[in-house]
Amino acid sequence: MKKTIVIGCDHAGFKMKNFLIEKLREEGYTVEDKGTYSEESVDAGEFAVKVCEDVAANLDTKYGILICGTGIGMSMMANKVAGIRASLVSDLFSAQMTRAHNNANVLCMGARIIAEAMAWEFTKVWLSTEHLGGKYAKRVQAMMDYEQNRK
């Protein structure tokens, strides 16, 4: 069963978000669009939180995708939400490894850094890569333990 994709962006990522929504739906994914809904300037953090709080509350059934100009602001804010492992990617190898090794549950990309076609390629690789488990599961658990215990 495919996970639901929760997607959000700021104004810079608006066009790419709409492109990815169309592609994801063509591939049979259920997509929940958390905004923004225009190219009017907005604070990226607001949309990162909307997406990531939803994903964090539904870890077994949802993944997130966030897009802003560089992907940096989105990834930084996303990782403030407990339970989220967001990764900024700009190449295919990183898209694969962030799932295989780090079990990332949110993919972040920069619309001013990569073309829409490449964003789709990264998304396909990211969604099709399974977490390897084993020693990598221990490393992911160490991240989550630190997050839980630092409060």
Side-chain angles (χ1 to χ4, degrees):
M1 181 178 185
K2 292 182 177 182
K3 288 195 176 190
T4 296
I5 307 302
V6 185
I7 193 167
C9 67
D10 71 355
H11 53 283
F14 176 71
K15 287 180 181 176
M16 183 178 283
K17 179 196 72 168
N18 289 339
F19 171 79
L20 291 175
I21 288 171
E22 181 180 325
K23 293 292 194 182
L24 287 161
R25 288 184 174 150
E26 286 174 5
E27 292 296 317
Y29 286 92
T30 299
V31 181
E32 296 177 7
D33 183 356
K34 298 291 185 178
T36 192
Y37 305 108
S38 76
E39 292 182 87
E40 183 178 331
S41 183
V42 294
D43 178 11
E46 173 187 347
F47 300 95
V49 169
K50 286 180 183 182
V51 168
C52 292
E53 285 184 348
D54 191 355
V55 172
N58 300 282
L59 291 172
D60 292 335
T61 59
K62 294 184 179 183
Y63 283 140
I65 297 176
L66 293 168
I67 308 150
C68 66
T70 62
I72 296 168
M74 285 291 200
S75 65
M76 292 174 77
M77 190 64 177
N79 282 307
K80 301 293 183 190
V81 177
I84 295 302
R85 291 177 306 280
S87 292
L88 172 60
V89 302
S90 57
D91 61 81
L92 290 167
F93 183 73
S94 296
Q96 180 182 23
M97 290 299 106
T98 192
R99 287 281 311 125
H101 288 193
N102 306 114
N103 202 16
N105 49 23
V106 176
L107 173 64
C108 301
M109 295 179 283
R112 294 179 178 150
I113 306 298
I114 58 174
E116 289 178 349
M118 284 308 302
W120 177 233
E121 293 303 315
F122 300 161
T123 300
K124 289 189 299 185
V125 166
W126 190 78
L127 288 170
S128 66
T129 302
E130 295 293 326
H131 182 241
L132 293 174
K135 68 181 180 182
Y136 302 107
K138 291 178 185 176
R139 294 173 185 172
V140 170
Q141 190 58 53
M143 283 189 272
M144 303 320 295
D145 290 347
Y146 177 78
E147 177 182 86
Q148 188 65 32
N149 294 327
R150 73 177 181 172
K151 295 178 182 178

